[in-house]
Amino acid sequence: MTEPAHGDTHIRMLISQERIAQRTEELAREVREGLGDGPITCIGVLKGSFIFMADFVRALGGPVRCEFLGVSSYHGGTRSTGVVRITEDLRHPIEGQHCLLIEDIVDTGLTLDYLTHFLAQRKPASIQTVALLDKPAHREVEICASHVGFTIPDEFVVGYGLDLGELYRNLPFIGVYSP
Ligand code: IMP
């Protein structure tokens, strides 16, 4: 892999912009094949999913509602605290709607597990989950997203929405951060 042109030597490219774009189209097709042409309520988990969600909902096409859940589970470091806290709730009811929870990455699985239970209480018609990245090395609950973009090794990744201490979200690719 060539060194990306971002000027930070701590970051090595893992997944290029082109591969992300191609996989996003495939995931969107997969979801539409399963759910049909009707309305889908996409629920992005902030902040990490915001860039993936923007591309994903455009690839999805058809009637789409966009909602967001603010969640805090990391506090500026590279380790999960295991504590999931809702910092911003949905703005509208989702009862009777086909919902798609959009995550940037599943690591321990605690966030995904917590949020699927949290959303189930709102009585949607169905809940599926899509995660751009799956990092199974440190799973603490047996859970997997319904649709996964890429399974990655046990490395801390940044870019395309994912941060380290709120930085690097704007990188157009996924890179491995190693200090
Ligand atoms: P989990 O609850 O451990 O599955 O973690 C989910 C959240 O942790 C993700 O939505 C990310 O915000 C964050 N996270 C986990 N691994 C990474 C990583 O490698 N880079 C950046 N954020 C991460």
Side-chain angles (χ1 to χ4, degrees):
M1 236 6 111
T2 54
E3 194 60 35
H6 53 74
D8 191 327
T9 51
H10 295 305
I11 295 170
R12 159 175 66 82
M13 196 201 295
L14 183 67
I15 308 171
S16 70
Q17 218 173 331
E18 293 72 24
R19 283 180 69 206
I20 297 171
Q22 188 189 7
R23 189 71 189 117
T24 301
E25 293 283 341
E26 288 168 6
L27 287 171
R29 265 200 303 277
E30 215 175 278
V31 168
R32 272 288 175 210
E33 272 164 28
L35 288 176
D37 296 333
I40 300 177
T41 302
C42 290
I43 303 170
V45 183
L46 294 172
K47 299 178 189 169
S49 73
F50 83 109
I51 293 182
F52 173 49
M53 177 159 171
D55 287 338
F56 181 82
V57 293
R58 283 178 288 181
L60 201 53
V64 166
R65 296 185 189 91
C66 293
E67 288 283 333
F68 296 93
L69 272 177
V71 166
S72 127
S73 56
Y74 275 76
H75 301 280
T78 59
R79 288 278 134 153
S80 171
T81 60
V83 179
V84 181
R85 199 163 51 91
I86 302 276
T87 56
E88 169 146 357
D89 204 341
L90 303 174
R91 298 275 172 95
H92 301 99
I94 54 166
E95 187 169 346
Q97 299 175 9
H98 291 290
C99 293
L100 189 64
L101 186 67
I102 302 182
E103 265 280 25
D104 52 355
I105 182 167
V106 181
D107 182 14
T108 62
L110 290 166
T111 308
L112 191 66
D113 187 50
Y114 180 88
L115 292 180
T116 45
H117 286 100
F118 174 83
L119 291 175
Q121 290 168 5
R122 308 274 169 99
K123 300 190 172 22
S126 68
I127 309 178
Q128 289 187 25
T129 52
V130 55
L132 176 64
L133 304 173
D134 185 18
K135 190 163 65 169
H138 297 291
R139 208 56 119 247
E140 289 182 28
V141 273
E142 241 181 82
I143 194 166
C144 192
S146 327
H147 309 272
V148 171
F150 302 93
T151 301
I152 62 165
D154 183 17
E155 310 245 38
F156 194 83
V157 291
V158 294
Y160 200 67
L162 290 103
D163 75 311
L164 174 61
E166 293 301 327
L167 291 176
Y168 306 114
R169 293 192 197 276
N170 59 330
L171 293 179
F173 55 87
I174 304 281
V176 172
Y177 182 88
S178 39

